[in-house]
Amino acid sequence: QKEVEQDPGPLSVPEGAIVSLNCTYSNSAFQYFMWYRQYSRKGPELLMYTYSSGNKEDGRFTAQVDKSSKYISLFIRDSQPSDSATYLCAMSGDKIIFGKGTRLHILP
Amino acid sequence: KAGVTQTPRYLIKTRGQQVTLSCSPISGHRSVSWYQQTPGQGLQFLFEYFSETQRNKGNFPGRFSGRQFSNSRSEMNVSTLELGDSALYLCASSLAGTNYEQYFGPGTRLTVT
């Protein structure tokens, strides 16, 4: 079983829709959960991180962590074409593991 | 505040050669981590340096090495290049080694022919 699993997509949604991205993991030692956005030919950009379980909101982005289910989500409200990118989840404890990323396309 | 910078941005090398990549972290950040990103394996951790000491190391062969200088700038070296080393090499810095809050540079695209 892989430590972190993330659907590669691509995921195509119309502009203005709510986007849901998610990852599952197997290592219960992970304590911090991160989401990165990566545009083509750029480095990953940290969107937000969450400690342990719960929700965190930052503008149009909401991160959710459910440690009991080993499941994390990122919601994007009012999606824009500029949100088109690859979204990487990551988890850390004594080590850091990244998902392989979900490619997201927002259709104008 | 300037972001993480990496040089060179693109590099083409021949199998068997060696290469050195450079990373300048955000001012004040003392930790630098290196990652390899490929389409097949995704983003994989290479090693982390904090105050000139290697603190963590990923599961890569000894051909991959690094160092950090007193000004926190870091270099990574790959010796005896193989075709499979073609990848985007990313450097990330953090204030005090907090791997949940890292800031990435634009990467160096290495092509091995």
Side-chain angles (χ1 to χ4, degrees):
Chain A
Q1 185 182 11
K2 291 182 180 177
E3 285 197 278
V4 177
E5 302 231 32
Q6 184 174 13
D7 188 326
L11 178 63
S12 297
V13 299
E15 182 177 356
I18 296 175
V19 176
S20 173
L21 304 166
N22 50 71
C23 291
T24 58
Y25 63 97
S26 58
N27 188 341
S28 55
F30 290 136
Q31 295 179 305
Y32 286 91
F33 304 88
M34 298 80 79
W35 285 97
Y36 285 85
R37 177 175 63 195
Q38 187 173 22
Y39 292 113
S40 181
R41 301 191 178 279
K42 302 282 188 181
E45 172 194 5
L46 178 64
L47 290 173
M48 55 204 310
Y49 66 86
T50 308
Y51 175 71
S52 193
S53 283
N55 293 0
K56 187 173 185 179
E57 188 175 318
D58 185 359
R60 297 185 295 111
F61 298 89
T62 300
Q64 283 186 354
V65 175
D66 181 347
K67 290 193 78 176
S68 62
S69 301
K70 297 189 176 66
Y71 189 89
I72 70 169
S73 300
L74 178 71
F75 298 96
I76 307 174
R77 291 185 300 281
D78 188 25
S79 56
Q80 304 294 311
S82 59
D83 295 327
S84 298
T86 296
Y87 289 79
L88 302 162
C89 64
M91 296 147 195
S92 75
D94 58 348
K95 60 180 178 180
I96 183 168
I97 304 290
F98 284 81
K100 291 191 177 180
T102 298
R103 286 179 296 150
L104 174 65
H105 299 295
I106 306 299
L107 307 171
Chain B
K1 206 181 245 189
V4 177
T5 59
Q6 292 187 245
T7 57
R9 293 292 313 278
Y10 302 92
L11 208 48
I12 300 174
K13 289 287 187 178
T14 303
R15 195 171 45 183
Q17 288 185 314
Q18 75 164 17
V19 66
T20 299
L21 312 181
S22 181
C23 171
S24 292
I26 292 171
S27 177
H29 284 196
R30 296 168 62 190
S31 170
V32 171
S33 296
W34 288 90
Y35 296 85
Q36 181 194 69
Q37 188 175 35
T38 59
Q41 298 300 317
L43 199 59
Q44 293 186 287
F45 173 72
L46 279 158
F47 29 67
E48 180 203 0
Y49 286 86
F50 183 84
S51 294
E52 302 179 66
T53 301
Q54 187 179 89
R55 209 158 66 159
N56 283 303
K57 190 177 189 305
N59 190 26
F60 277 82
R63 299 186 297 107
F64 292 82
S65 62
R67 59 178 176 167
Q68 186 180 33
F69 303 96
S70 59
N71 62 359
S72 294
R73 191 177 68 85
S74 178
E75 289 180 347
M76 70 162 276
N77 184 78
V78 188
S79 62
T80 320
L81 285 165
E82 301 177 359
L83 295 178
D85 297 333
S86 295
L88 181 66
Y89 289 89
L90 292 155
C91 160
S93 77
S94 67
L95 191 58
T98 50
N99 61 11
Y100 55 84
E101 191 175 6
Q102 296 183 95
Y103 297 91
F104 282 84
T108 294
R109 172 76 61 185
L110 173 64
T111 302
V112 182
T113 62

